[in-house]
Amino acid sequence: MLKNTINNFKKKSPQQRFLLIIGILFFLGYLVLGTIIIFWKNFPIVMTTNYRIALGGVLIVYSFFRFSRFFNANNN
């Protein structure tokens, strides 16, 4: 399975490889931002704990939504 993924990556054009890497970076960015918002106690923006957890959760769910849409679009 890993060998097939590597072969598919090698077959892509440089533009498609760049977009794949950018898509992965944005997924990781939203995921890290969501976890930072949830777990950072002295968050610079004044929010109650419930709102901070909700915002972080929304960002994490959005990151997985983008991740799934990105890889479904690449499989077509």
mmCIF file of all heavy atoms in Angstrom, residues 23-66:
data_model
loop_
_atom_site.group_PDB
_atom_site.id
_atom_site.type_symbol
_atom_site.label_atom_id
_atom_site.label_comp_id
_atom_site.label_asym_id
_atom_site.label_seq_id
_atom_site.Cartn_x
_atom_site.Cartn_y
_atom_site.Cartn_z
ATOM 1 N N GLY A 23 -1.925 21.212 0.541
ATOM 2 C CA GLY A 23 -3.136 20.689 1.175
ATOM 3 C C GLY A 23 -2.836 20.026 2.508
ATOM 4 O O GLY A 23 -3.559 20.217 3.489
ATOM 5 N N ILE A 24 -1.754 19.264 2.565
ATOM 6 C CA ILE A 24 -1.367 18.625 3.822
ATOM 7 C C ILE A 24 -0.954 19.667 4.847
ATOM 8 O O ILE A 24 -1.299 19.568 6.036
ATOM 9 C CB ILE A 24 -0.247 17.594 3.576
ATOM 10 C CG1 ILE A 24 -0.799 16.417 2.772
ATOM 11 C CG2 ILE A 24 0.369 17.112 4.881
ATOM 12 C CD1 ILE A 24 0.247 15.453 2.274
ATOM 13 N N LEU A 25 -0.223 20.706 4.415
ATOM 14 C CA LEU A 25 0.198 21.760 5.343
ATOM 15 C C LEU A 25 -0.996 22.525 5.918
ATOM 16 O O LEU A 25 -1.013 22.857 7.107
ATOM 17 C CB LEU A 25 1.163 22.722 4.657
ATOM 18 C CG LEU A 25 2.570 22.195 4.419
ATOM 19 C CD1 LEU A 25 3.394 23.224 3.640
ATOM 20 C CD2 LEU A 25 3.248 21.848 5.717
ATOM 21 N N PHE A 26 -1.998 22.811 5.095
ATOM 22 C CA PHE A 26 -3.175 23.505 5.595
ATOM 23 C C PHE A 26 -3.960 22.621 6.565
ATOM 24 O O PHE A 26 -4.478 23.117 7.570
ATOM 25 C CB PHE A 26 -4.079 23.973 4.453
ATOM 26 C CG PHE A 26 -3.735 25.348 3.980
ATOM 27 C CD1 PHE A 26 -2.888 25.535 2.900
ATOM 28 C CD2 PHE A 26 -4.239 26.461 4.620
ATOM 29 C CE1 PHE A 26 -2.555 26.797 2.470
ATOM 30 C CE2 PHE A 26 -3.916 27.734 4.202
ATOM 31 C CZ PHE A 26 -3.068 27.906 3.126
ATOM 32 N N PHE A 27 -4.038 21.316 6.277
ATOM 33 C CA PHE A 27 -4.686 20.391 7.210
ATOM 34 C C PHE A 27 -3.984 20.434 8.558
ATOM 35 O O PHE A 27 -4.624 20.585 9.598
ATOM 36 C CB PHE A 27 -4.668 18.973 6.635
ATOM 37 C CG PHE A 27 -4.922 17.906 7.669
ATOM 38 C CD1 PHE A 27 -6.178 17.760 8.223
ATOM 39 C CD2 PHE A 27 -3.910 17.070 8.082
ATOM 40 C CE1 PHE A 27 -6.416 16.784 9.187
ATOM 41 C CE2 PHE A 27 -4.137 16.096 9.029
ATOM 42 C CZ PHE A 27 -5.391 15.954 9.579
ATOM 43 N N LEU A 28 -2.668 20.327 8.533
ATOM 44 C CA LEU A 28 -1.911 20.350 9.787
ATOM 45 C C LEU A 28 -2.024 21.706 10.480
ATOM 46 O O LEU A 28 -2.098 21.772 11.710
ATOM 47 C CB LEU A 28 -0.448 20.011 9.522
ATOM 48 C CG LEU A 28 -0.174 18.566 9.110
ATOM 49 C CD1 LEU A 28 1.297 18.395 8.737
ATOM 50 C CD2 LEU A 28 -0.564 17.620 10.210
ATOM 51 N N GLY A 29 -2.061 22.782 9.701
ATOM 52 C CA GLY A 29 -2.189 24.115 10.280
ATOM 53 C C GLY A 29 -3.496 24.298 11.037
ATOM 54 O O GLY A 29 -3.507 24.781 12.176
ATOM 55 N N TYR A 30 -4.602 23.913 10.418
ATOM 56 C CA TYR A 30 -5.897 24.029 11.090
ATOM 57 C C TYR A 30 -5.976 23.106 12.305
ATOM 58 O O TYR A 30 -6.539 23.471 13.336
ATOM 59 C CB TYR A 30 -7.053 23.713 10.134
ATOM 60 C CG TYR A 30 -7.396 24.858 9.216
ATOM 61 C CD1 TYR A 30 -7.260 24.731 7.837
ATOM 62 C CD2 TYR A 30 -7.864 26.063 9.719
ATOM 63 C CE1 TYR A 30 -7.579 25.773 6.999
ATOM 64 C CE2 TYR A 30 -8.186 27.106 8.883
ATOM 65 C CZ TYR A 30 -8.032 26.957 7.520
ATOM 66 O OH TYR A 30 -8.349 27.988 6.684
ATOM 67 N N LEU A 31 -5.403 21.912 12.181
ATOM 68 C CA LEU A 31 -5.422 20.967 13.287
ATOM 69 C C LEU A 31 -4.626 21.508 14.475
ATOM 70 O O LEU A 31 -5.099 21.497 15.618
ATOM 71 C CB LEU A 31 -4.853 19.620 12.834
ATOM 72 C CG LEU A 31 -4.903 18.483 13.833
ATOM 73 C CD1 LEU A 31 -6.351 18.078 14.080
ATOM 74 C CD2 LEU A 31 -4.104 17.311 13.311
ATOM 75 N N VAL A 32 -3.441 22.032 14.211
ATOM 76 C CA VAL A 32 -2.603 22.581 15.285
ATOM 77 C C VAL A 32 -3.245 23.829 15.879
ATOM 78 O O VAL A 32 -3.247 24.013 17.105
ATOM 79 C CB VAL A 32 -1.181 22.873 14.752
ATOM 80 C CG1 VAL A 32 -0.383 23.709 15.719
ATOM 81 C CG2 VAL A 32 -0.461 21.573 14.453
ATOM 82 N N LEU A 33 -3.806 24.692 15.044
ATOM 83 C CA LEU A 33 -4.459 25.896 15.543
ATOM 84 C C LEU A 33 -5.641 25.550 16.448
ATOM 85 O O LEU A 33 -5.820 26.172 17.508
ATOM 86 C CB LEU A 33 -4.928 26.770 14.374
ATOM 87 C CG LEU A 33 -5.552 28.112 14.730
ATOM 88 C CD1 LEU A 33 -4.541 28.997 15.457
ATOM 89 C CD2 LEU A 33 -6.058 28.794 13.482
ATOM 90 N N GLY A 34 -6.416 24.545 16.066
ATOM 91 C CA GLY A 34 -7.532 24.119 16.903
ATOM 92 C C GLY A 34 -7.077 23.587 18.248
ATOM 93 O O GLY A 34 -7.650 23.923 19.288
ATOM 94 N N THR A 35 -6.028 22.781 18.250
ATOM 95 C CA THR A 35 -5.540 22.248 19.524
ATOM 96 C C THR A 35 -4.890 23.333 20.375
ATOM 97 O O THR A 35 -5.019 23.304 21.604
ATOM 98 C CB THR A 35 -4.547 21.092 19.306
ATOM 99 O OG1 THR A 35 -3.487 21.530 18.460
ATOM 100 C CG2 THR A 35 -5.237 19.899 18.694
ATOM 101 N N ILE A 36 -4.230 24.299 19.746
ATOM 102 C CA ILE A 36 -3.651 25.417 20.508
ATOM 103 C C ILE A 36 -4.753 26.220 21.185
ATOM 104 O O ILE A 36 -4.645 26.577 22.364
ATOM 105 C CB ILE A 36 -2.794 26.313 19.597
ATOM 106 C CG1 ILE A 36 -1.473 25.624 19.267
ATOM 107 C CG2 ILE A 36 -2.531 27.672 20.240
ATOM 108 C CD1 ILE A 36 -0.640 26.360 18.239
ATOM 109 N N ILE A 37 -5.815 26.515 20.460
ATOM 110 C CA ILE A 37 -6.916 27.291 21.031
ATOM 111 C C ILE A 37 -7.546 26.554 22.201
ATOM 112 O O ILE A 37 -7.897 27.154 23.214
ATOM 113 C CB ILE A 37 -7.952 27.632 19.941
ATOM 114 C CG1 ILE A 37 -7.367 28.667 18.981
ATOM 115 C CG2 ILE A 37 -9.247 28.145 20.547
ATOM 116 C CD1 ILE A 37 -8.235 28.965 17.792
ATOM 117 N N ILE A 38 -7.672 25.234 22.085
ATOM 118 C CA ILE A 38 -8.299 24.471 23.164
ATOM 119 C C ILE A 38 -7.410 24.407 24.403
ATOM 120 O O ILE A 38 -7.875 24.613 25.525
ATOM 121 C CB ILE A 38 -8.648 23.048 22.685
ATOM 122 C CG1 ILE A 38 -9.801 23.101 21.689
ATOM 123 C CG2 ILE A 38 -9.042 22.155 23.863
ATOM 124 C CD1 ILE A 38 -10.117 21.768 21.039
ATOM 125 N N PHE A 39 -6.134 24.150 24.235
ATOM 126 C CA PHE A 39 -5.285 23.833 25.376
ATOM 127 C C PHE A 39 -4.449 24.990 25.914
ATOM 128 O O PHE A 39 -3.837 24.851 26.967
ATOM 129 C CB PHE A 39 -4.356 22.663 25.032
ATOM 130 C CG PHE A 39 -5.114 21.381 24.839
ATOM 131 C CD1 PHE A 39 -5.198 20.790 23.599
ATOM 132 C CD2 PHE A 39 -5.755 20.786 25.903
ATOM 133 C CE1 PHE A 39 -5.896 19.620 23.417
ATOM 134 C CE2 PHE A 39 -6.466 19.614 25.740
ATOM 135 C CZ PHE A 39 -6.533 19.027 24.486
ATOM 136 N N TRP A 40 -4.387 26.133 25.230
ATOM 137 C CA TRP A 40 -3.588 27.255 25.709
ATOM 138 C C TRP A 40 -4.392 28.000 26.773
ATOM 139 O O TRP A 40 -5.423 28.618 26.483
ATOM 140 C CB TRP A 40 -3.238 28.173 24.563
ATOM 141 C CG TRP A 40 -2.224 29.211 24.854
ATOM 142 C CD1 TRP A 40 -1.514 29.394 25.990
ATOM 143 C CD2 TRP A 40 -1.794 30.230 23.956
ATOM 144 N NE1 TRP A 40 -0.666 30.456 25.861
ATOM 145 C CE2 TRP A 40 -0.818 30.994 24.618
ATOM 146 C CE3 TRP A 40 -2.135 30.573 22.655
ATOM 147 C CZ2 TRP A 40 -0.182 32.070 24.031
ATOM 148 C CZ3 TRP A 40 -1.504 31.632 22.074
ATOM 149 C CH2 TRP A 40 -0.540 32.370 22.754
ATOM 150 N N LYS A 41 -3.913 27.960 27.990
ATOM 151 C CA LYS A 41 -4.655 28.552 29.112
ATOM 152 C C LYS A 41 -4.676 30.080 29.055
ATOM 153 O O LYS A 41 -5.689 30.702 29.336
ATOM 154 C CB LYS A 41 -4.045 28.103 30.446
ATOM 155 C CG LYS A 41 -4.177 26.624 30.690
ATOM 156 C CD LYS A 41 -5.626 26.215 30.783
ATOM 157 C CE LYS A 41 -5.724 24.724 31.008
ATOM 158 N NZ LYS A 41 -7.054 24.224 30.803
ATOM 159 N N ASN A 42 -3.568 30.718 28.722
ATOM 160 C CA ASN A 42 -3.499 32.190 28.661
ATOM 161 C C ASN A 42 -3.674 32.665 27.226
ATOM 162 O O ASN A 42 -2.844 33.398 26.689
ATOM 163 C CB ASN A 42 -2.163 32.673 29.231
ATOM 164 C CG ASN A 42 -2.012 32.322 30.682
ATOM 165 O OD1 ASN A 42 -2.989 32.310 31.420
ATOM 166 N ND2 ASN A 42 -0.797 32.020 31.095
ATOM 167 N N PHE A 43 -4.754 32.271 26.599
ATOM 168 C CA PHE A 43 -5.014 32.641 25.210
ATOM 169 C C PHE A 43 -5.173 34.155 25.113
ATOM 170 O O PHE A 43 -5.865 34.773 25.927
ATOM 171 C CB PHE A 43 -6.285 31.920 24.733
ATOM 172 C CG PHE A 43 -6.501 31.975 23.254
ATOM 173 C CD1 PHE A 43 -5.604 31.391 22.386
ATOM 174 C CD2 PHE A 43 -7.603 32.614 22.729
ATOM 175 C CE1 PHE A 43 -5.810 31.437 21.022
ATOM 176 C CE2 PHE A 43 -7.819 32.663 21.374
ATOM 177 C CZ PHE A 43 -6.912 32.074 20.517
ATOM 178 N N PRO A 44 -4.502 34.809 24.148
ATOM 179 C CA PRO A 44 -4.519 36.276 24.072
ATOM 180 C C PRO A 44 -5.903 36.899 23.876
ATOM 181 O O PRO A 44 -6.146 38.014 24.290
ATOM 182 C CB PRO A 44 -3.632 36.597 22.878
ATOM 183 C CG PRO A 44 -2.873 35.372 22.582
ATOM 184 C CD PRO A 44 -3.629 34.230 23.144
ATOM 185 N N ILE A 45 -6.799 36.188 23.243
ATOM 186 C CA ILE A 45 -8.151 36.702 23.046
ATOM 187 C C ILE A 45 -8.999 36.243 24.227
ATOM 188 O O ILE A 45 -9.040 35.057 24.554
ATOM 189 C CB ILE A 45 -8.752 36.186 21.725
ATOM 190 C CG1 ILE A 45 -7.883 36.637 20.545
ATOM 191 C CG2 ILE A 45 -10.181 36.688 21.551
ATOM 192 C CD1 ILE A 45 -8.287 36.028 19.234
ATOM 193 N N VAL A 46 -9.676 37.176 24.864
ATOM 194 C CA VAL A 46 -10.468 36.842 26.054
ATOM 195 C C VAL A 46 -11.725 36.093 25.621
ATOM 196 O O VAL A 46 -12.589 36.645 24.934
ATOM 197 C CB VAL A 46 -10.827 38.126 26.837
ATOM 198 C CG1 VAL A 46 -11.671 37.787 28.046
ATOM 199 C CG2 VAL A 46 -9.570 38.870 27.228
ATOM 200 N N MET A 47 -11.798 34.813 26.004
ATOM 201 C CA MET A 47 -12.952 33.962 25.702
ATOM 202 C C MET A 47 -13.191 33.061 26.898
ATOM 203 O O MET A 47 -12.253 32.689 27.599
ATOM 204 C CB MET A 47 -12.687 33.069 24.480
ATOM 205 C CG MET A 47 -12.413 33.791 23.197
ATOM 206 S SD MET A 47 -11.939 32.649 21.894
ATOM 207 C CE MET A 47 -13.506 32.235 21.230
ATOM 208 N N THR A 48 -14.433 32.693 27.097
ATOM 209 C CA THR A 48 -14.697 31.708 28.148
ATOM 210 C C THR A 48 -14.216 30.345 27.662
ATOM 211 O O THR A 48 -14.001 30.123 26.467
ATOM 212 C CB THR A 48 -16.195 31.652 28.490
ATOM 213 O OG1 THR A 48 -16.913 31.218 27.341
ATOM 214 C CG2 THR A 48 -16.702 33.001 28.963
ATOM 215 N N THR A 49 -14.069 29.432 28.586
ATOM 216 C CA THR A 49 -13.545 28.103 28.254
ATOM 217 C C THR A 49 -14.454 27.373 27.274
ATOM 218 O O THR A 49 -13.969 26.715 26.345
ATOM 219 C CB THR A 49 -13.381 27.277 29.538
ATOM 220 O OG1 THR A 49 -12.569 28.010 30.454
ATOM 221 C CG2 THR A 49 -12.724 25.947 29.252
ATOM 222 N N ASN A 50 -15.746 27.503 27.446
ATOM 223 C CA ASN A 50 -16.685 26.807 26.558
ATOM 224 C C ASN A 50 -16.556 27.300 25.120
ATOM 225 O O ASN A 50 -16.578 26.503 24.180
ATOM 226 C CB ASN A 50 -18.118 26.993 27.040
ATOM 227 C CG ASN A 50 -18.370 26.278 28.346
ATOM 228 O OD1 ASN A 50 -17.664 25.340 28.687
ATOM 229 N ND2 ASN A 50 -19.372 26.736 29.075
ATOM 230 N N TYR A 51 -16.423 28.604 24.926
ATOM 231 C CA TYR A 51 -16.275 29.149 23.577
ATOM 232 C C TYR A 51 -14.939 28.761 22.962
ATOM 233 O O TYR A 51 -14.848 28.498 21.763
ATOM 234 C CB TYR A 51 -16.427 30.666 23.579
ATOM 235 C CG TYR A 51 -17.843 31.130 23.805
ATOM 236 C CD1 TYR A 51 -18.132 32.127 24.706
ATOM 237 C CD2 TYR A 51 -18.898 30.563 23.103
ATOM 238 C CE1 TYR A 51 -19.432 32.558 24.920
ATOM 239 C CE2 TYR A 51 -20.201 30.983 23.298
ATOM 240 C CZ TYR A 51 -20.457 31.976 24.206
ATOM 241 O OH TYR A 51 -21.743 32.393 24.406
ATOM 242 N N ARG A 52 -13.896 28.723 23.797
ATOM 243 C CA ARG A 52 -12.586 28.321 23.294
ATOM 244 C C ARG A 52 -12.605 26.872 22.821
ATOM 245 O O ARG A 52 -12.073 26.545 21.758
ATOM 246 C CB ARG A 52 -11.535 28.492 24.399
ATOM 247 C CG ARG A 52 -10.468 29.435 24.041
ATOM 248 C CD ARG A 52 -9.360 29.587 25.032
ATOM 249 N NE ARG A 52 -9.029 28.404 25.788
ATOM 250 C CZ ARG A 52 -8.975 28.351 27.096
ATOM 251 N NH1 ARG A 52 -9.259 29.404 27.823
ATOM 252 N NH2 ARG A 52 -8.646 27.243 27.707
ATOM 253 N N ILE A 53 -13.229 26.003 23.608
ATOM 254 C CA ILE A 53 -13.322 24.597 23.219
ATOM 255 C C ILE A 53 -14.173 24.445 21.959
ATOM 256 O O ILE A 53 -13.844 23.661 21.063
ATOM 257 C CB ILE A 53 -13.873 23.751 24.383
ATOM 258 C CG1 ILE A 53 -12.843 23.700 25.515
ATOM 259 C CG2 ILE A 53 -14.239 22.349 23.922
ATOM 260 C CD1 ILE A 53 -13.345 23.051 26.786
ATOM 261 N N ALA A 54 -15.253 25.196 21.868
ATOM 262 C CA ALA A 54 -16.115 25.126 20.684
ATOM 263 C C ALA A 54 -15.372 25.601 19.433
ATOM 264 O O ALA A 54 -15.432 24.949 18.385
ATOM 265 C CB ALA A 54 -17.372 25.961 20.897
ATOM 266 N N LEU A 55 -14.657 26.717 19.535
ATOM 267 C CA LEU A 55 -13.907 27.224 18.384
ATOM 268 C C LEU A 55 -12.811 26.255 17.981
ATOM 269 O O LEU A 55 -12.616 25.977 16.795
ATOM 270 C CB LEU A 55 -13.306 28.603 18.704
ATOM 271 C CG LEU A 55 -12.462 29.236 17.596
ATOM 272 C CD1 LEU A 55 -13.293 29.455 16.348
ATOM 273 C CD2 LEU A 55 -11.849 30.535 18.087
ATOM 274 N N GLY A 56 -12.083 25.719 18.945
ATOM 275 C CA GLY A 56 -11.047 24.740 18.640
ATOM 276 C C GLY A 56 -11.623 23.486 18.010
ATOM 277 O O GLY A 56 -11.059 22.943 17.056
ATOM 278 N N GLY A 57 -12.756 23.032 18.511
ATOM 279 C CA GLY A 57 -13.417 21.859 17.939
ATOM 280 C C GLY A 57 -13.869 22.087 16.510
ATOM 281 O O GLY A 57 -13.734 21.208 15.655
ATOM 282 N N VAL A 58 -14.412 23.270 16.264
ATOM 283 C CA VAL A 58 -14.845 23.601 14.901
ATOM 284 C C VAL A 58 -13.649 23.608 13.952
ATOM 285 O O VAL A 58 -13.728 23.098 12.822
ATOM 286 C CB VAL A 58 -15.595 24.952 14.884
ATOM 287 C CG1 VAL A 58 -15.749 25.491 13.478
ATOM 288 C CG2 VAL A 58 -16.945 24.804 15.547
ATOM 289 N N LEU A 59 -12.527 24.165 14.388
ATOM 290 C CA LEU A 59 -11.333 24.187 13.537
ATOM 291 C C LEU A 59 -10.811 22.776 13.275
ATOM 292 O O LEU A 59 -10.386 22.466 12.163
ATOM 293 C CB LEU A 59 -10.240 25.041 14.163
ATOM 294 C CG LEU A 59 -10.439 26.544 14.054
ATOM 295 C CD1 LEU A 59 -9.391 27.284 14.872
ATOM 296 C CD2 LEU A 59 -10.374 26.974 12.613
ATOM 297 N N ILE A 60 -10.854 21.914 14.275
ATOM 298 C CA ILE A 60 -10.393 20.544 14.084
ATOM 299 C C ILE A 60 -11.316 19.788 13.136
ATOM 300 O O ILE A 60 -10.858 19.080 12.227
ATOM 301 C CB ILE A 60 -10.258 19.835 15.446
ATOM 302 C CG1 ILE A 60 -9.093 20.441 16.229
ATOM 303 C CG2 ILE A 60 -10.067 18.333 15.269
ATOM 304 C CD1 ILE A 60 -8.995 19.986 17.658
ATOM 305 N N VAL A 61 -12.617 19.946 13.304
ATOM 306 C CA VAL A 61 -13.575 19.297 12.398
ATOM 307 C C VAL A 61 -13.403 19.829 10.979
ATOM 308 O O VAL A 61 -13.426 19.064 10.005
ATOM 309 C CB VAL A 61 -15.017 19.492 12.906
ATOM 310 C CG1 VAL A 61 -16.042 19.103 11.863
ATOM 311 C CG2 VAL A 61 -15.232 18.708 14.184
ATOM 312 N N TYR A 62 -13.187 21.144 10.844
ATOM 313 C CA TYR A 62 -12.979 21.745 9.528
ATOM 314 C C TYR A 62 -11.707 21.210 8.882
ATOM 315 O O TYR A 62 -11.675 20.979 7.664
ATOM 316 C CB TYR A 62 -12.922 23.268 9.652
ATOM 317 C CG TYR A 62 -12.703 23.971 8.336
ATOM 318 C CD1 TYR A 62 -13.676 23.950 7.348
ATOM 319 C CD2 TYR A 62 -11.528 24.663 8.084
ATOM 320 C CE1 TYR A 62 -13.481 24.582 6.136
ATOM 321 C CE2 TYR A 62 -11.320 25.302 6.884
ATOM 322 C CZ TYR A 62 -12.297 25.264 5.918
ATOM 323 O OH TYR A 62 -12.093 25.891 4.725
ATOM 324 N N SER A 63 -10.659 20.987 9.675
ATOM 325 C CA SER A 63 -9.419 20.462 9.102
ATOM 326 C C SER A 63 -9.643 19.059 8.532
ATOM 327 O O SER A 63 -9.159 18.743 7.444
ATOM 328 C CB SER A 63 -8.305 20.443 10.144
ATOM 329 O OG SER A 63 -8.517 19.461 11.114
ATOM 330 N N PHE A 64 -10.401 18.213 9.246
ATOM 331 C CA PHE A 64 -10.676 16.879 8.719
ATOM 332 C C PHE A 64 -11.617 16.932 7.516
ATOM 333 O O PHE A 64 -11.496 16.120 6.598
ATOM 334 C CB PHE A 64 -11.233 15.972 9.815
ATOM 335 C CG PHE A 64 -10.161 15.463 10.737
ATOM 336 C CD1 PHE A 64 -10.045 15.973 12.016
ATOM 337 C CD2 PHE A 64 -9.274 14.503 10.314
ATOM 338 C CE1 PHE A 64 -9.060 15.512 12.863
ATOM 339 C CE2 PHE A 64 -8.281 14.038 11.147
ATOM 340 C CZ PHE A 64 -8.167 14.542 12.434
ATOM 341 N N PHE A 65 -12.525 17.897 7.504
ATOM 342 C CA PHE A 65 -13.406 18.080 6.347
ATOM 343 C C PHE A 65 -12.594 18.457 5.109
ATOM 344 O O PHE A 65 -12.780 17.883 4.041
ATOM 345 C CB PHE A 65 -14.450 19.159 6.666
ATOM 346 C CG PHE A 65 -15.334 19.513 5.524
ATOM 347 C CD1 PHE A 65 -16.298 18.632 5.081
ATOM 348 C CD2 PHE A 65 -15.205 20.735 4.888
ATOM 349 C CE1 PHE A 65 -17.131 18.957 4.013
ATOM 350 C CE2 PHE A 65 -16.022 21.077 3.833
ATOM 351 C CZ PHE A 65 -16.976 20.181 3.393
ATOM 352 N N ARG A 66 -11.670 19.402 5.268
ATOM 353 C CA ARG A 66 -10.794 19.789 4.153
ATOM 354 C C ARG A 66 -9.931 18.622 3.702
ATOM 355 O O ARG A 66 -9.723 18.417 2.505
ATOM 356 C CB ARG A 66 -9.888 20.951 4.547
ATOM 357 C CG ARG A 66 -10.555 22.297 4.512
ATOM 358 C CD ARG A 66 -9.562 23.384 4.836
ATOM 359 N NE ARG A 66 -8.448 23.378 3.912
ATOM 360 C CZ ARG A 66 -8.241 24.297 2.981
ATOM 361 N NH1 ARG A 66 -9.073 25.290 2.865
ATOM 362 N NH2 ARG A 66 -7.207 24.231 2.183
#
